[in-house]
């Protein structure tokens, strides 16, 4: 009987320890999951409640598809699905807590510019599903998609067919928008220098020149630029340097930034107050002049922490008829994808603990009762 009591006490203590550990772990997991599910609420507290425009910038999602799945099999399928979930989760938090007026995806929407139509359309359906929110569908929140090198290619490979396919799916590669008294200039930076398709390049320059003429006629209207390739900066400022590669015909086959000459033309003619670009996955900020700041937006991909940037604009009209604006730039990050993998492991441990607790409570109690009954019988 003493042995049974000792055995019962030991098992009882172990069960009690497991219960306490499971309770603490459960509280920790609930708090962790609540944070991960609603993490952007902490960014919301930093924002103004009365902004006239709240623009969210998203850099280089580079959605993958069958190419990776074919190379990596099941692991590739899991990776593609996890990346879609990650992208969707960030956008869901943006729509729930940031309440943007505009969403701007700064190019490289897909990961590969040589996709066939079937694969392109399959990725497009997934992309549209991620942004399938009533406010976006109804245009209450405007989604602006910028063309990138992984969407239509670098200058030596941009073609009319690729541009047409992109525009049918995502909207114009060259465009103008008016937001809170600002002129937003969008242009296809993939083919404004070293281009093979000269006609397409000229279309972009015609658009830029028209915007420059409008700026001359209305110098009081601030200009903001959205495009994919960053403007020229000296080496060492950003992760990527001002490197450009050309083929034997002088066409650009790859570039990290626009040339210094093109950059100076754009800065002079458009005189923007802000420039928002993508391409460099690590992101950086650069002051071109006292009046022009460029924000190269870090990638939203899981490897780079689900980064987004928010520009808030407040427009103030004065009794004398003049208008002034105030601006606020805020950023937000999620956790890297490896951290999500770690959370999955923690959830697995949690479920194992719950299972162990269940087994001890419902099976070992019966086992001890059996021993106790046998000892009494003896």
């Amino acid at each position: 009987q003493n042995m049974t009591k000792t055995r019962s006490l030991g098992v009882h203590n172990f069960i009690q320890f497991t219960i306490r550990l499971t309770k603490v772990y459960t509280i920790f997991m609930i708090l962790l999951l609540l944070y991960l599910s609603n993490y952007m609420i902490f960014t919301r507290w930093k924002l103004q409640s009365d902004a006239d425009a709240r623009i969210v910038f998203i850099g280089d999602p580079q959605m993958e598809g069958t190419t990776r799945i074919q190379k990596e099999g099941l692991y590739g399928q899991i990776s593609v699905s996890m990346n879609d979930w990650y992208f969707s989760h960030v956008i869901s938090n943006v729509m729930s807590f940031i309440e943007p007026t505009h969403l701007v995806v700064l190019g490289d929407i897909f990961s590969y510019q040589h996709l066939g139509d079937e694969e392109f359309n399959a990725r497009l359906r997934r992309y549209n599903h991620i942004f399938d929110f009533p406010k976006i569908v109804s245009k209450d929140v405007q989604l602006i998609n910028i063309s990138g090198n992984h969407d239509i290619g670098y200058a030596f490979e941009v073609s009319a067919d690729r541009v047409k396919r992109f525009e049918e799916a995502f909207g114009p590669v060259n465009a103008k928008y008016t937001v809170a008294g600002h002129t937003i200039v969008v242009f296809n930076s993939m083919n404004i220098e070293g281009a093979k398709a000269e006609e397409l390049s000229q279309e972009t320059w015609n658009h830029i020149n028209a915007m420059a003429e409008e700026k001359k006629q209305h110098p009081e209207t601030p200009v903001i630029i959205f495009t994919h390739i960053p403007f020229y900066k000296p080496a060492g400022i950003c992760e990527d340097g001002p490197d450009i590669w050309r083929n034997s015909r002088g066409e650009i086959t790859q570039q990290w930034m626009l040339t210094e000459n093109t950059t100076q033309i754009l800065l002079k003619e458009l005189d923007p107050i802000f420039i928002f670009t993508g391409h460099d996955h690590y992101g950086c900020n650069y002051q071109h002049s006292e009046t022009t700041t460029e924000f190269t937006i870090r990638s939203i991909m899981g490897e780079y922490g689900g980064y987004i940037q928010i520009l808030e604009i407040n427009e103030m009209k004065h009794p004398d008829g003049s208008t002034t604006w105030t601006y606020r730039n805020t950023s937000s990050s999620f956790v890297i994808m490896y951290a999500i993998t770690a959370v999955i492991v923690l959830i697995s441990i949690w479920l194992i603990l719950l299972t162990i607790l269940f087994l001890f409570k419902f099976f070992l109690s019966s086992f001890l009762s059996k021993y106790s009954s046998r000892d009494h019988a003896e």
Side-chain angles (χ1 to χ4, degrees):
Q1 288 184 352
N2 289 335
M3 288 181 60
T4 301
K5 288 180 179 178
T6 302
R7 188 184 299 115
S8 300
L9 182 62
V11 173
H12 175 75
N13 289 340
F14 182 77
I15 291 175
Q16 291 303 311
F17 171 77
T18 304
I19 290 172
R20 288 194 294 270
L21 178 62
T22 303
K23 285 181 178 178
V24 172
Y25 203 90
T26 298
I27 293 170
F28 168 74
M29 289 305 303
I30 290 172
L31 293 175
L32 178 62
L33 292 174
L34 280 173
Y35 167 73
L36 292 177
S37 299
N38 306 280
Y39 74 99
M40 215 170 277
I41 193 173
F42 298 103
T43 302
R44 183 69 181 90
W45 295 343
K46 303 176 187 177
L47 303 179
Q48 304 172 76
S49 60
D50 58 347
D52 293 302
R54 184 176 293 132
I55 308 172
V56 172
F57 296 95
I58 299 158
D60 298 58
Q62 292 198 7
M63 293 180 69
E64 297 180 294
T66 56
T67 302
R68 181 167 186 177
I69 295 171
Q70 289 169 356
K71 285 181 179 179
E72 301 178 0
L74 178 60
Y75 177 78
Q77 179 64 68
I78 293 172
S79 295
V80 169
S81 298
M82 283 293 292
N83 288 333
D84 277 11
W85 171 84
Y86 187 95
F87 186 15
S88 177
H89 184 64
V90 175
I91 300 304
S92 178
N93 263 256
V94 167
M95 295 303 295
S96 296
F97 299 111
I98 305 304
E99 298 179 349
T101 58
H102 299 76
L103 292 168
V104 182
V105 184
L106 288 160
D108 281 4
I109 297 170
F110 298 157
S111 64
Y112 190 51
Q113 63 269 37
H114 300 291
L115 297 176
D117 288 342
E118 183 177 353
E119 175 63 12
F120 181 93
N121 290 328
R123 296 191 194 190
L124 177 61
R125 285 191 293 272
R126 288 163 45 210
Y127 182 79
N128 288 339
H129 179 70
I130 288 171
F131 287 95
D132 186 19
F133 290 86
K135 286 188 176 181
I136 297 176
V137 174
S138 66
K139 308 296 185 184
D140 289 336
V141 175
Q142 186 169 16
L143 176 60
I144 300 173
N145 296 298
I146 311 298
S147 57
N149 54 288
H150 284 305
D151 302 313
I152 61 174
Y154 281 109
F156 83 111
E157 55 190 347
V158 175
S159 67
D161 287 341
R162 284 184 184 171
V163 170
K164 180 183 178 185
R165 182 172 71 173
F166 180 92
E167 292 190 321
E168 288 175 348
F170 299 110
V173 295
N174 301 309
K176 170 198 167 185
Y177 304 94
T178 301
V179 177
H182 292 65
T183 297
I184 306 297
V185 177
V186 174
F187 62 84
N188 178 16
S189 51
M190 308 316 309
N191 71 342
I192 60 173
E193 47 191 6
K196 179 179 180 179
E198 293 183 3
E199 184 177 343
L200 292 175
S201 178
Q202 191 57 54
E203 285 180 9
T204 299
W205 276 111
N206 289 344
H207 172 65
I208 292 171
N209 291 336
M211 294 297 95
E213 183 60 32
E214 186 173 311
K215 178 62 178 176
K216 289 176 184 176
Q217 294 176 8
H218 303 282
E220 75 285 355
T221 303
V223 169
I224 302 176
I225 293 174
F226 302 163
T227 196
H228 181 65
I229 297 182
F231 283 34
Y232 173 86
K233 305 166 197 67
I237 301 294
C238 301
E239 182 72 19
D240 293 339
D243 301 311
I244 297 178
W245 292 262
R246 298 176 185 265
N247 59 23
S248 58
R249 296 183 297 276
E251 300 160 356
I252 292 177
T253 58
Q254 193 171 3
Q255 66 184 134
W256 302 145
M257 298 179 186
L258 299 176
T259 63
E260 186 173 9
N261 181 59
T262 297
T263 295
Q264 291 305 317
I265 292 172
L266 293 169
L267 292 175
K268 179 183 177 182
E269 296 299 321
L270 296 175
D271 189 24
I273 57 168
F274 296 122
I275 303 163
F276 290 91
T277 56
H279 201 45
D280 185 334
H281 293 175
Y282 291 91
C284 69
N285 302 336
Y286 184 69
Q287 196 81 27
H288 288 279
S289 68
E290 291 184 2
T291 58
T292 301
T293 305
E294 179 178 355
F295 297 92
T296 299
I297 305 303
R298 185 178 176 90
S299 172
I300 197 173
M301 288 188 286
E303 182 181 351
Y304 301 94
Y307 184 93
I308 64 161
Q309 185 151 324
I310 307 157
L311 171 65
E312 292 182 288
I313 304 175
N314 270 2
E315 184 178 14
M316 293 169 288
K317 296 186 181 294
H318 302 287
D320 63 1
S322 63
T323 304
T324 57
W325 295 268
T326 58
Y327 308 96
R328 188 178 209 176
N329 276 286
T330 309
S331 62
S332 175
S333 295
F334 191 32
V335 295
I336 61 173
M337 185 63 80
Y338 296 119
I340 297 298
T341 304
V343 170
I344 293 173
V345 172
L346 289 174
I347 292 173
S348 301
I349 294 172
W350 183 31
L351 293 174
I352 290 170
L353 280 173
L354 291 173
T355 302
I356 290 172
L357 181 61
F358 174 83
L359 290 173
F360 271 112
K361 289 186 71 174
F362 289 93
F363 291 98
L364 288 186
S365 295
S366 174
F367 178 75
L368 290 173
S369 296
K370 179 181 177 182
Y371 262 93
S372 180
S373 299
R374 189 177 68 179
D375 288 344
H376 279 299
E378 291 175 356

